[in-house]
Amino acid sequence: MARYNLLLPAMGESVSEATIINWVKQPGDIVNVDDIIVEIATDKVDSEVPSPVAGKLIEQRFQHDEVVQVGDVLAVLEIEGDDEESAMSAATLNEPLIEEKIPSISTEIPGMQQLVTDDRVKEEEPVGDAGRFYSPLVRNIAHEEGIPTDELERIQGTGLDGRVTKQDLLDYLAKRASQTDQEGQVSDEGVGSPNPPEPVKNIEPAAVSVSGKDEIIEMDRMRRLIAEHMVHSVQTAPHVCSFVEADVTNLVNWRNKIKDSFQQRENEKLTFTPIFIEAVVKAIKDFPMINISVKGTQIIKKHDINIGMATALPNGNLIVPVIKNAKDLSLVGITKSVNDLAFRARNNKLKPDETQGGTFTLTNIGSFGNVMGTPIINQPQVAILAVGTITKKPAVIETEFGDVIGIRHMMFLSLSYDHRVVDGALGGMFVRRVADYLEKWDMSRTV
């Protein structure tokens, strides 16, 4: 019998590690092709790792709550056939797992072997003199927080082979901040001491406990990440909000007229969200300085327009899948992307990379009957638009014969923006432009 190593696959450029949250298959279980072996969690989304081969699970290399690096062996499966032929044929189902694939291809191109060798050395090169390996995520956090290499090497790691994980670094930063004295000096107690304290093991708390008549509900992992992200955003960006009320009567009537034929033709429901996203994309093209991020004193103007759409999950949590290159999509394309991402988000089928790279976020609070809101910016973006519910109300209508009162479909739009780089003029003009695109909807438009 041959053995097949199931590796943690690459999950996007900025995702270098994941946490084991549930083993679906246990040692001794029979595994079919595409059966889910293990459920993992990244900073952005929960995901699943399927098996590209059929066989029997014989070994789990990591336990619940352990952090795994991309490329690490998650599990070992026993498959039919002899060691060489079966392992190679199984590996071809998942080419990133073939360690010998790169050298065999690179040798066909003059000079490529040296290039591959240099890249590997660079990728695996430890940061410090002690020879410890740090993931790109840990290195980036350390750089942003101003942690020098010698200080990083004193942090006790809880990962595989003593690696410092993201959580180790965040815990250290929190401890360092709490130990800062009145003069701003940082204590190194417990970090570089000869007998460092034992690392605190993650103990899964009871989901619900009772104190008197009150229930105490422990946050799940995703809610903790959301809370952390929201607090970070508020502490980072001074939030300012601008509001506009838009008359979307023409838009509502147009959608009511074509939604049935659209669904029959495209097999997709046409909701208001894709229409709002299309208007946002047009407004970003008019005001590209809303499609930026901030790094220190630098303003990074984004070339792509990647729209995140806040999506409520059945368990009450929130996730923001991203429509990549939205400026290149038609309304039909945006509609299909919105429906697909929303469906997979609610069914826990998103890939980690599909929640990253957003440059602007839209949240449709009107779907819950809310009139308006002041959303928190999704870092590192600088603005987020909330669209409220569409309601009928009396409004003044300007005609060539004078002003009249009529029943109109009205909606509030609210834009929260980072006042470090977006002033009131830009923020106000942008949200007004989005409203203009919605108000001036062409009733004769075809899709």
Side-chain angles (χ1 to χ4, degrees), residues 190-210:
V191 179
S193 55
N195 298 308
E198 290 291 325
V200 179
K201 295 183 178 179
N202 292 328
I203 301 176
E204 189 69 24
V208 179
S209 61
V210 178

Side-chain angles (χ1 to χ4, degrees), residues 409-420:
H409 293 271
M410 306 296 292
M411 179 184 73
F412 281 103
L413 298 89
S414 56
L415 182 75
S416 298
Y417 47 95
D418 186 343
H419 208 15
R420 292 178 302 170

Side-chain angles (χ1 to χ4, degrees), residues 9-151:
M11 299 170 290
E13 293 183 3
S14 59
V15 181
S16 61
E17 62 185 23
T19 302
I20 302 294
I21 57 176
N22 180 45
W23 281 99
V24 178
K25 297 291 186 180
Q26 301 299 325
D29 288 352
I30 300 300
V31 178
N32 296 316
V33 175
D34 291 333
D35 278 358
I36 303 304
I37 301 291
V38 61
E39 295 174 349
I40 59 174
T42 68
D43 291 344
K44 297 290 185 178
V45 67
D46 295 349
S47 187
E48 300 167 335
V49 179
S51 174
V53 299
K56 182 171 72 174
L57 181 65
I58 61 174
E59 183 182 356
Q60 296 172 345
R61 291 287 180 90
F62 294 88
Q63 301 302 315
H64 182 269
D65 280 344
E66 280 194 292
V67 177
V68 188
Q69 305 294 320
V70 169
D72 284 348
V73 178
L74 292 172
V76 179
L77 288 85
E78 191 175 66
I79 60 178
E80 293 185 358
D82 62 66
D83 289 342
E84 276 189 39
E85 293 182 6
S86 297
M88 288 300 293
S89 62
T92 57
L93 297 174
N94 193 356
E95 287 195 357
L97 307 186
I98 308 175
E99 294 183 0
E100 298 302 322
K101 188 73 176 177
I102 294 176
S104 63
I105 293 178
S106 63
T107 53
E108 298 174 4
I109 305 174
M112 280 299 294
Q113 182 62 45
Q114 183 63 38
L115 203 61
V116 171
T117 303
D118 292 345
D119 286 344
R120 287 184 172 179
V121 171
K122 183 178 180 180
E123 185 176 333
E124 297 178 359
E125 184 179 359
V127 172
D129 297 333
R132 295 177 77 180
F133 173 84
Y134 301 102
S135 70
L137 179 62
V138 169
R139 290 199 295 262
N140 288 339
I141 295 175
H143 176 72
E144 292 176 0
E145 296 294 336
I147 298 179
T149 301
D150 58 342
E151 185 176 352

Side-chain angles (χ1 to χ4, degrees), residues 16 39 66 69 111 121-122 145 176 179 183 194 226 239 270 288 305 321 325 327 347-348 352:
S16 61
E39 295 174 349
E66 280 194 292
Q69 305 294 320
V121 171
K122 183 178 180 180
E145 296 294 336
R176 186 177 71 166
Q179 291 180 341
E183 297 178 356
I226 293 171
H239 284 56
L270 178 60
I305 299 178
N325 299 313
K327 66 180 180 180
N347 289 276
N348 197 29

Side-chain angles (χ1 to χ4, degrees), residues 119-414:
D119 286 344
R120 287 184 172 179
V121 171
K122 183 178 180 180
E123 185 176 333
E124 297 178 359
E125 184 179 359
V127 172
D129 297 333
R132 295 177 77 180
F133 173 84
Y134 301 102
S135 70
L137 179 62
V138 169
R139 290 199 295 262
N140 288 339
I141 295 175
H143 176 72
E144 292 176 0
E145 296 294 336
I147 298 179
T149 301
D150 58 342
E151 185 176 352
L152 190 63
E153 290 178 352
R154 296 198 301 272
I155 300 176
Q156 185 168 4
T158 60
L160 184 66
D161 297 328
R163 287 183 181 178
V164 176
T165 67
K166 172 193 171 186
Q167 192 59 49
D168 293 331
L169 186 52
L170 293 178
D171 291 343
Y172 170 68
L173 289 170
K175 181 178 179 180
R176 186 177 71 166
S178 65
Q179 291 180 341
T180 303
D181 60 22
Q182 295 179 351
E183 297 178 356
Q185 299 297 319
V186 179
S187 170
D188 284 334
E189 181 181 357
V191 179
S193 55
N195 298 308
E198 290 291 325
V200 179
K201 295 183 178 179
N202 292 328
I203 301 176
E204 189 69 24
V208 179
S209 61
V210 178
S211 176
K213 294 183 179 180
D214 299 330
E215 277 189 325
I216 301 175
I217 303 174
E218 184 69 23
M219 291 183 186
D220 59 22
R221 186 197 63 83
M222 182 174 286
R223 177 51 56 181
R224 291 196 297 268
L225 288 173
I226 293 171
E228 200 176 284
H229 191 57
M230 294 299 98
V231 170
H232 169 68
S233 181
V234 172
Q235 291 176 340
T236 300
H239 284 56
V240 176
C241 291
S242 293
F243 303 88
V244 166
E245 188 175 24
D247 182 344
V248 292
T249 305
N250 287 349
L251 170 57
V252 172
N253 291 337
W254 174 84
R255 175 182 170 271
N256 290 337
K257 181 179 69 173
I258 65 101
K259 65 180 182 180
D260 292 337
S261 60
F262 183 90
Q263 184 168 359
Q264 290 177 0
R265 188 182 78 239
E266 302 293 341
N267 197 29
E268 297 281 354
K269 287 186 177 180
L270 178 60
T271 64
F272 285 108
T273 298
I275 299 172
F276 297 150
I277 290 176
E278 183 189 59
V280 166
V281 171
K282 289 180 179 179
I284 288 176
K285 291 179 180 179
D286 296 337
F287 298 99
M289 288 305 292
I290 210 81
N291 195 52
I292 64 173
S293 64
V294 181
K295 184 177 181 180
T297 59
Q298 297 177 329
I299 296 174
I300 303 172
K301 186 178 178 183
K302 302 293 186 177
H303 175 268
D304 296 330
I305 299 178
N306 301 330
I307 305 297
M309 56 175 204
T311 305
L313 301 179
N315 62 5
N317 287 326
L318 185 72
I319 199 167
V320 186
V322 177
I323 301 173
K324 304 289 179 65
N325 299 313
K327 66 180 180 180
D328 299 328
L329 299 177
S330 65
L331 182 57
V332 175
I334 295 175
T335 300
K336 291 182 177 181
S337 294
V338 166
N339 292 346
D340 172 60
L341 290 172
F343 174 80
R344 289 193 290 114
R346 296 185 181 108
N347 289 276
N348 197 29
K349 298 296 183 182
L350 286 177
K351 300 175 183 177
D353 199 41
E354 291 176 321
T355 61
Q356 299 177 25
T359 61
F360 187 95
T361 297
L362 171 80
T363 176
N364 188 350
I365 60 175
S367 59
F368 309 110
N370 298 153
V371 176
M372 69 169 65
T374 55
I376 296 177
I377 298 167
N378 187 14
Q379 295 294 328
Q381 300 164 27
V382 299
I384 178 172
L385 179 72
V387 290
T389 187
I390 299 173
T391 58
K392 290 183 180 180
K393 60 175 65 176
V396 176
I397 307 171
E398 296 180 358
T399 72
E400 57 181 319
F401 304 106
D403 295 344
V404 297
I405 300 293
I407 303 300
R408 309 295 289 176
H409 293 271
M410 306 296 292
M411 179 184 73
F412 281 103
L413 298 89
S414 56

